[in-house]
């Protein structure tokens, strides 16, 4: 496995450190959609989110842009689209999520995520910040 890391990806120091620590081969350059892809087996792309607030922003204010990124993955890159959210919760836990920086409630966010899953075949994954790199590799190996 050789992972291509999107050059526009920010705040991924712990992911890169993990890759270095375990000897995971990777290189940094622009990925057309998402943030991480295995160039030897490009069947799924992983889009890493800092948390539910970033995801909520992507699914509301930046919805068209996010949908276009999913389209690129499916049509241009011919691969699946996975979102890895750095929150140590489950999809069901999203229903009770609250954040003072957005009017969007957890129940609404959950419904949007389920719609994206059904309509656009988005796969949702969650992890804590420390094991994001490990989870990226697991997701890329799943396919």
């Amino acid at each position: 496995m050789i992972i291509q890391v999107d050059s526009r990806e920010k705040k991924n120091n712990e992911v890169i450190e993990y890759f270095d620590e375990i000897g995971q081969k990777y290189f940094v350059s622009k990925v057309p959609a998402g943030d991480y892809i295995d160039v030897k087996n490009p069947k799924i792309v992983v889009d890493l989110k800092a948390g539910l607030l970033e995801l909520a922003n992507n699914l509301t204010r930046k919805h068209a842009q996010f949908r276009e990124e999913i389209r690129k993955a499916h049509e241009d890159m011919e691969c699946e689209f996975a979102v890895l959210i750095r929150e140590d919760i489950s999809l069901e836990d999203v229903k009770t999520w609250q954040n003072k920086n957005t009017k969007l409630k957890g129940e609404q966010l959950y419904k949007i995520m389920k719609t994206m899953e059904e309509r656009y075949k988005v796969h949702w994954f969650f992890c804590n910040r420390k094991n994001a790199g490990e989870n990226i590799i697991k997701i890329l190996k799943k396919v």
Side-chain angles (χ1 to χ4, degrees):
M1 174 186 295
I2 299 174
I3 299 174
Q4 181 178 353
V5 179
D6 188 65
S7 55
R8 298 163 294 175
E9 173 69 340
K10 299 175 188 113
K11 298 181 182 177
N12 67 343
N13 290 343
E14 63 278 338
V15 172
I16 298 301
E17 286 171 10
Y18 178 77
F19 290 171
D20 288 339
E21 183 181 307
I22 66 164
Q24 174 60 57
K25 292 179 182 176
Y26 69 90
F27 65 96
V28 178
S29 71
K30 186 178 175 184
V31 178
D35 300 316
Y36 302 89
I37 190 164
D38 177 4
V39 295
K40 287 191 167 188
N41 187 22
K43 303 232 189 241
I44 191 165
V45 64
V46 178
D47 194 26
L48 184 63
K49 299 296 175 198
L52 287 174
L53 184 59
E54 180 185 0
L55 179 66
N57 187 42
N58 287 164
L59 296 178
T60 55
R61 286 185 235 155
K62 296 181 177 181
H63 186 76
Q65 180 183 340
F66 189 67
R67 217 176 43 236
E68 175 60 13
E69 196 165 358
I70 295 166
R71 186 207 61 76
K72 281 182 189 175
H74 289 315
E75 296 175 16
D76 299 349
M77 299 169 68
E78 298 179 356
C79 64
E80 295 182 43
F81 194 86
V83 179
L84 178 60
I85 304 142
R86 288 188 261 199
E87 296 269 358
D88 203 4
I89 61 171
S90 70
L91 184 57
E92 289 296 314
D93 294 333
V94 172
K95 292 177 183 176
T96 59
W97 176 75
Q98 295 178 29
N99 190 295
K100 64 182 179 191
N101 297 317
T102 181
K103 293 179 183 177
L104 188 69
K105 302 289 183 226
E107 187 66 41
Q108 295 167 301
L109 180 58
Y110 174 82
K111 287 178 183 175
I112 295 168
M113 290 171 74
K114 290 303 284 181
T115 300
M116 298 294 284
E117 182 177 75
E118 292 163 14
R119 195 174 290 164
Y120 303 108
K121 309 294 184 236
V122 174
H123 304 281
W124 303 106
F125 297 93
F126 299 86
C127 70
N128 65 40
R129 186 175 266 306
K130 290 180 184 175
N131 66 7
E134 180 182 348
N135 278 273
I136 289 165
I137 291 170
K138 283 180 185 176
I139 294 165
L140 293 175
K141 283 183 176 178
K142 266 188 177 178
V143 185

